[in-house]
Amino acid sequence: MTTGNDPDVVVAMGAELGEGPVWDARSGRLVWVDILGRRVHATDPETGDTSSIETPLHVGAVAPRAGGGFIAALQNGFWVVGDGPAHLIEEIAEARHGLRFNDGKCDPVGRFWAGTMAYDVTPAAGALYRLDEDGRATVVVPGVTLSNGLAWSGDGRTMFYVDSPTHRIDAFTFDPASGALANRRAIVEIPAENGTPDGLTIDEDDGLWVALAHGGAVHRYVDGRLDRVIRLPVSLVTSVTFGGPERDILFITSAWEHMTDEDRVREPLAGAVFRVRPGVRGRPVDVYRGV
């Protein structure tokens, strides 16, 4: 195991729940969300200059949309934002009852996946949804507690998934044509003392990078084994993604949700976005190719 370089700060905006970073090749900016702040931020990593879109509801995740703007998982369903006025594509009835969307990502075919959680983290209250190109949403994994990171293998035949309280990264056999999942199995077990698995990304060598909330670190796993550790100066590390023109920068989001005033004094960078060049490249960003 090797230890990564010390990350530097891209922007210190103090997001309450910074999450969902994704590289937007169209603008050359890192796009990320503050879920509880109802903001989609777009940050120039060279200058830290950040523009923001306010969303009508809590925003769990966004992804670039081939038709313009972004597909977004807001509290009650799937929306388009950043391409004229925000508009709803598909409402999820269950999300009106104390649930919200959390993390999400596009698959290599161009469908958008996002999962829900209860605001009070009721066990098994949420689900993972797949939004197809026609704008219809389907429950693919029911009984989820805190839906989080997603990634797909380079050959497109395996999907990786985090339901945070399980302290695992699970793998599914993935059918690219239909988007169906099968053969769920745990491939990484993360001890509770190391933190809680949160956002997830994958590199060109199929190394899995996972943010560890309450662990102050990002771990890389290769074939299920811990390969690398990147330490952060904050405890609530929430998500990771590769970006930059060469896809060689690992961007890392963080949060201060539920921290006390004393905690925030100890961690003045909580809610900042960080970056590090880990010596590997990420995969091209998949975009939503639907309505």
Side-chain angles (χ1 to χ4, degrees), residues 44-142:
D44 181 338
E46 297 304 316
T47 65
D49 176 67
T50 300
S51 58
S52 303
I53 300 168
E54 184 176 1
T55 58
L57 300 163
H58 289 160
V59 51
V62 299
R65 176 175 170 260
F70 302 91
I71 188 72
L74 301 192
Q75 186 268 327
N76 69 338
F78 296 100
W79 293 62
V80 172
V81 301
D83 184 32
H87 62 274
L88 180 66
I89 293 176
E90 177 85 329
E91 187 174 23
I92 303 301
E94 296 88 346
R96 294 199 302 265
H97 303 289
L99 302 182
R100 67 165 175 84
F101 274 91
N102 194 46
D103 207 349
K105 193 171 292 183
C106 288
D107 69 26
V109 175
R111 295 167 292 231
F112 184 56
W113 297 64
T116 54
M117 59 173 287
Y119 278 95
D120 63 1
V121 200
T122 299
L128 177 65
Y129 294 81
R130 185 190 70 234
L131 184 71
D132 292 330
E133 294 95 324
D134 63 3
R136 295 178 183 273
T138 301
V139 173
V140 185
V141 182

Side-chain angles (χ1 to χ4, degrees), residues 261-277:
D261 290 342
E262 291 78 11
D263 291 335
R264 295 191 67 186
V265 168
R266 285 193 295 269
E267 297 185 17
L269 290 174
V273 178
F274 302 86
R275 68 181 166 195
V276 65
R277 281 187 166 86

Side-chain angles (χ1 to χ4, degrees), residues 155-211:
D155 65 6
R157 298 289 177 179
T158 304
M159 189 186 87
F160 303 99
Y161 178 58
V162 171
D163 181 4
S164 290
T166 67
H167 282 271
R168 301 193 311 258
I169 301 174
D170 288 347
F172 293 85
T173 301
F174 180 71
D175 179 5
S178 67
L181 303 179
N183 188 29
R184 184 175 186 171
R185 65 267 188 202
I187 60 164
V188 172
E189 302 271 358
I190 298 173
E193 59 267 26
N194 288 352
T196 301
D198 202 314
L200 188 67
T201 194
I202 194 166
D203 61 40
E204 285 189 326
D205 300 322
D206 277 351
L208 287 169
W209 299 77
V210 61

